[in-house]
Amino acid sequence: MIRHHRIEARFVTEVPRDLDSGVLYISTEYGTAVHRCCCGCGQEVVTPLTPTDWKLSTHGNTVSLWPSVGNWNLPCRSHYVIRRNRVIEAGPWTQGRIESEIRRDKAAKASYYSQQAAGDASAGAQSTSHDGAQVPEIAGGWLARLLRWLFG
Ligand SMILES: [Zn+2]
């Protein structure tokens, strides 16, 4: 069940310690979005905004987050889609679906970052941007925590 059917986007530099329910905190600086689980359980849900995690799009005053938010690592196991500030309940996750999602995520990250590495190598010493360097760390940390939870 979903208790918050609408979520308000709030652009912030730093995500506050105390989060309001029904608010999606978006930090473009840190490339991440955080909100309290829309089922009403209040758990913090972090959705990194990276090319292999979530994608945020804005339409006027409303925001959408894709793909769906699947909180299968939380006790509530809620699953919903945020589309134009509306929270749309999605189907429950099955174990098979979770496993295939983990495989997809791993494969997407592996192929994305190997392409990045190949690109960096060919760009050689001319590359002055180190922005990309912190992304695998964030994504890796998130994924590692999840995998530990699931299989540890
Ligand atoms: Zn929840």
Side-chain angles (χ1 to χ4, degrees), residues 5-79:
H5 292 274
R6 288 193 70 81
I7 196 159
E8 170 203 331
R10 199 172 290 171
F11 287 88
V12 293
T13 312
E14 300 226 6
V15 176
R17 211 169 260 275
D18 238 350
L19 305 179
D20 286 338
S21 291
V23 177
L24 180 67
Y25 295 87
I26 301 151
S27 168
T28 47
E29 195 154 314
Y30 290 97
T32 197
V34 183
H35 70 281
R36 286 207 187 275
C37 180
C38 293
C39 87
C41 73
Q43 290 279 338
E44 236 175 82
V45 180
V46 180
T47 48
L49 308 174
T50 78
T52 61
D53 291 299
W54 281 269
K55 191 180 179 311
L56 183 87
S57 44
T58 52
H59 331 263
N61 294 327
T62 67
V63 295
S64 300
L65 199 60
W66 188 259
S68 62
V69 179
N71 296 323
W72 20 281
N73 53 339
L74 297 183
C76 66
R77 292 203 155 203
S78 62
H79 182 207

Side-chain angles (χ1 to χ4, degrees), residues 72 98-106 147 150-151:
W72 20 281
I98 292 171
E99 281 160 15
S100 83
E101 171 56 21
I102 289 170
R103 276 198 298 277
R104 185 209 62 79
D105 187 66
K106 264 185 170 166
L147 290 173
L150 281 168
F151 304 113

